[in-house]
Structures are given as C-alpha cells and as structure tokens.
Amino acid sequence: MKVLVVGGGGREHALAWKLAQSPKVQAVYVAPGNGGTALDSRLENIAITDVKALREWAQAEKIALTVVGPEQPLAAGIVDEFRAHGLRVFGPTKAAAQLESSKAFSKAFMKRHGIPTAEYETFTDAAAAHAYVDEKGVPIVVKADGLAAGKGVVVAMTLHEAHEAIEFMLAPNPDFNPLGVTHNEGGARVVIEEFLQGEEASFIVMCDGKNVAAMATSQDHKRLLDGDEGPNTGGMGAYSPAPVVTPEVHGRAMREIILPTIKGMEKDGIPFTGFLYAGLMIDAEGKPKTLEFNCRMGDPETQPIMMRLKTDLFDVMMAATSGALDQIELDWDRRPALGVVMAAHGYPLNPRKGDVIHGLTKPGDAPEDAMVFHAGTRKDGDTTVTSGGRVLCVTALGSTVKAAQQRAYEVAQGLGFDGAQYRKDIGWRALKP
C-alpha cells in the first residue's frame, strides 16, 4: 500500500515515521516534507502543495490512503477534493474544518450546542472591540478569527497588550499583518473572550463521523521562555500523558465536550471526520472548558504521542476512513514521552533561516528511546539547514516524565545551530509537587 502524508512540519514527520513502520505500507510520500523526511530512506518528499495537482498525483500513483496534517489544506478543502475523485483521505471537510479556521464559527457552534467554553463577543469594528476591552478589563483573550499558525491568540495581561492585539488583528492596511493571520470571508474579525483560570491540556481524538477513539493525553508549552514567560508560540515542547487529565477529567471531557461536538456537527449536517483537538482549560475543581478546537493533531503534541503509540497507525487510519473506529482499540506504551522544540534565532516574530544544523544522525541510527523530528529544516546539498521558526522536536521515552525529560535534553545537547533557542523546563507542570 502507498500512503501520502500532506504537510511539511514536525507533526507530519512524526505521522509519516509511524506509518512507515506498518508492514502493510510499502511507501510513504510526504508533500512537501522537510529536511528530516528527506533523510529517511523509508520516506520520499513530493514537491507539490497545490491541492488539485496533489489529487491528480495521488490518483496517478494509486495512493491507498492520504493523511492531512496541517490546517491550511484542510481549510482549503483538500478532503472534499480527494473524496470527490474517489480517494481515501483522513481529515475533515472544508465545512467541518471551520471549527478551527473560524473562531467565530467555533464559538457560535459551542454556544448553540451547550459545550462549555469562555464567554465571548465577536467584532469587526476596532473601536467597538477597544471599548469592550476597556469595559471588561484584563486579563482578557483576543483571538484572530482566521488561521495564524498558532500565533493568532493573545492572552493580554495588560490593556496595552489587548489594544495592540486588536490593532494587529483588525488592521485596515492589508500589508500590515505581523501575526500572519489568514482572514476569512467577510474580512478581519476578532473574538474577545474571558480569561479562564486553570491548567491547559490537549485532548485529541480521532473521529469517523460517528465513532470516537481518544488519543493519549498530552500537554504542550506555548510560551517561548522558561516558567511559561515570554510571547506565545506555536508550541515549545510537549509531553504525554498529561497528569492533569485524571480519569474523572477524561470522562467529563468526553461526555461534555467531545461527544456533544461530534453529535452537534452531525446534527448541523456537517459530520466530523479526522483528528479533533480540544484545547482544554481545567479548573481547580476538575471542570474542563473548551479554549479552542483544532481540526488536526497538535504540533508538538503529535511527536510524543506517536512515540507512545504501539498500535499500527495504518490499521487505525483505515478503520477511521471506513466508519469502523468502534472496532479499534489503541495500545499505548506505558512510558511517558517528552519532546523539546529547538527554535530558530529570532523566533517567533523574525525567525532566521539558513543556519547549518550540526549533530544530526540518520533515522536508522536513532536510539530506540529517542527520535529527532524535523519541522523547519531543508536539505542544502550534503547539509541540513534551518528553514522555519520551529526547527526540531527532540523527543524521548522514559520510565517517568523526569527520565524522559533528561533523555530528551541529553539528545538535544548533541545538536546545534547558530542562534538555537529552547526551553530548559519542558514537563515542569508534570513534575511539580
């Protein structure tokens, strides 16, 4: 069987790496892939990003299964395009992907179906948004309505930060877009919502339209600096499982958030298939609320989750695209896994590209308990260089979170590139007394 993974980040490297381990898979293609997928002899990069061209290539190559990693092609309707031509593809349709691509759609959906989330208002007018912030005070959360590669959410602790975020997200000048927001139809919009207290966790499930299979729980670190300080990023590291998601919290999240979402989408005539990622805020009493939905696996959560998955991912994906997820049981390595993101100089606002990465080994030479997943990398002759903000995710298994943390940092210290920055405390929440 031939498999195609769409995307070029760390999430896609991890998915392709796992799919290539299946004895039923003869070839895994990654479009467009990165420097890490280029280094792996079991994977082959395909330099196609256009949705129609990719569909035509998949038809010509008789691809048995396509797995879509990032949000942009999902929001562009890649699943609709592939399905319309009889191709098996795992991911949500363009309509279903609005749960992520439009914060306004997502919040209205949650309100309509009684799914616990923060109170909010939506604005297109900057003056009204500024007035609302002045009325409500801080802390407050400002979200761009469109996609922004994980950087479209500002948790404002001061009025200045809140007003600046509104200016960035509702800027009248189309050339001024420091957060890289892709505006939806109707132009720029912001969702402003109450700040929720508690601890965040990533709750990711697979859906086939009706049935749900929960992935291992995980928790990521969004802030750039140790102690959860500094600017928000796409994620500086993650670990699995997340101790904050107790069996009780897990049960509540399934009953109150995940299952009502799947039923609500079906009721609205847009059944959800693919990965559904609920970003949860869990309060001191163990009550989860939905911060946001993503319509794909998280990055960097995918990397430790894939390290722990023992079930053949190809079998799982085939069941998920056949409406048979209720017949699958996921088996997990009992050991925790932890991933540390190494980011480029200047990340997140002005990441530098082209720095040579030292210390990389071929995937076949990687130790059994550790793996270096690539994100912002590309091949340049015989060397691998940085090509994005988040460059590598050094991921390791350990008998405890502490052991996994020590192993990941041990491997990270053998890697380097000019200006590399990474946090030294990934996993600290799981290690606190």
Side-chain angles (χ1 to χ4, degrees):
M1 298 275 198
K2 295 179 180 179
V3 176
L4 170 65
V5 176
V6 178
R11 165 185 47 231
E12 290 76 43
H13 188 184
L15 291 169
W17 170 80
K18 196 68 189 177
L19 285 161
Q21 294 171 15
S22 171
K24 295 167 186 165
V25 173
Q26 69 186 74
V28 178
Y29 301 94
V30 193
N34 58 41
T37 52
L39 283 170
D40 193 329
S41 60
R42 300 167 303 170
L43 311 177
E44 184 177 336
N45 286 355
I46 302 297
I48 305 173
T49 53
D50 177 75
V51 167
K52 184 170 180 250
L54 201 53
R55 184 265 300 165
E56 290 171 345
W57 178 88
Q59 281 182 295
E61 287 293 324
K62 295 183 170 52
I63 297 296
L65 169 71
T66 297
V67 180
V68 187
E71 59 272 31
Q72 291 89 350
L74 292 170
I78 189 171
V79 170
D80 310 69
E81 175 72 18
F82 274 52
R83 283 187 185 164
H85 292 83
L87 291 165
R88 183 186 289 260
V89 58
F90 185 68
T93 61
K94 182 177 182 177
Q98 288 180 97
L99 274 179
E100 175 171 11
S101 64
S102 171
K103 295 289 188 289
F105 172 92
S106 176
K107 295 294 283 191
F109 171 86
M110 286 188 267
K111 187 174 184 179
R112 191 163 64 248
H113 292 284
I115 295 161
T117 189
E119 290 184 7
Y120 77 101
E121 291 290 342
T122 303
F123 299 91
T124 55
D125 178 68
H130 287 305
Y132 183 78
V133 164
D134 285 334
E135 177 196 338
K136 292 292 183 181
V138 289
I140 200 162
V141 182
V142 185
K143 297 180 175 180
D145 181 46
L147 298 175
K151 299 193 290 288
V153 177
V154 174
V155 180
M157 305 308 287
T158 66
L159 285 172
H160 172 75
E161 286 177 323
H163 290 306
E164 183 181 61
I166 292 166
E167 291 298 327
F168 282 176
M169 294 175 192
L170 291 180
N173 178 1
D175 296 326
F176 179 72
N177 190 358
L179 298 178
V181 179
T182 303
H183 298 306
N184 291 316
E185 290 178 16
R189 281 191 295 187
V190 293
V191 170
I192 303 178
E193 61 183 40
E194 69 170 318
F195 173 80
L196 296 177
Q197 292 278 8
E199 192 167 339
E200 284 189 52
S202 305
F203 201 96
I204 305 171
V205 300
M206 298 178 75
C207 315
D208 64 11
K210 287 184 181 292
N211 305 300
V212 173
M215 307 298 285
T217 62
S218 58
Q219 192 167 30
D220 77 335
H221 297 260
K222 285 275 189 267
R223 299 280 185 170
L224 181 70
L225 305 173
D226 287 5
D228 292 331
E229 300 287 337
N232 241 1
T233 71
M236 292 300 293
Y239 55 93
S240 172
V244 68
V245 185
T246 62
E248 292 77 18
V249 171
H250 195 285
R252 289 191 71 152
M254 288 295 286
R255 285 193 312 274
E256 299 173 14
I257 295 170
I258 299 297
L259 294 177
T261 297
I262 300 305
K263 288 174 183 170
M265 291 294 279
E266 190 177 16
K267 185 178 178 183
D268 289 354
I270 38 177
F272 191 94
T273 55
F275 290 113
L276 179 66
Y277 170 134
L280 304 182
M281 182 64 81
I282 301 158
D283 69 14
E285 297 172 357
K287 294 178 184 173
K289 283 190 176 181
T290 317
L291 291 171
E292 64 178 359
F293 283 121
N294 293 328
C295 294
R296 32 81 194 183
M297 285 281 277
D299 189 346
E301 295 97 330
T302 305
Q303 292 87 315
I305 289 173
M306 286 300 113
M307 287 285 284
R308 294 188 62 218
L309 181 64
K310 295 172 79 173
T311 313
D312 187 317
L313 183 59
F314 179 74
D315 287 343
V316 179
M317 292 290 187
M318 293 300 278
T321 49
S322 304
L325 264 181
D326 56 334
Q327 298 169 32
I328 286 286
E329 193 166 327
L330 299 177
D331 186 22
W332 301 98
D333 194 316
R334 288 180 171 275
R335 294 174 294 173
L338 183 143
V340 177
V341 169
M342 299 181 71
H345 173 82
Y347 180 75
L349 289 179
N350 297 295
R352 191 170 68 200
K353 300 178 182 180
D355 289 310
V356 176
I357 305 169
H358 304 284
L360 294 171
T361 57
K362 290 184 178 179
D365 299 330
E368 190 181 324
D369 64 345
M371 178 68 191
V372 179
F373 294 108
H374 290 232
T377 70
R378 65 176 174 83
K379 289 282 286 174
D380 185 8
D382 292 333
T383 62
T384 303
V385 301
T386 64
S387 67
R390 291 183 296 166
V391 179
L392 305 170
C393 184
V394 184
T395 311
L397 289 159
S399 56
T400 62
V401 173
K402 185 70 177 174
Q405 182 194 58
Q406 287 174 339
R407 183 71 176 117
Y409 280 110
E410 183 182 295
V411 175
Q413 283 163 11
L415 302 165
F417 50 89
D418 285 349
Q421 49 177 335
Y422 59 91
R423 285 180 54 162
K424 311 299 189 296
D425 67 343
I426 300 301
W428 71 268
R429 287 184 181 276
L431 299 172
K432 66 184 180 183

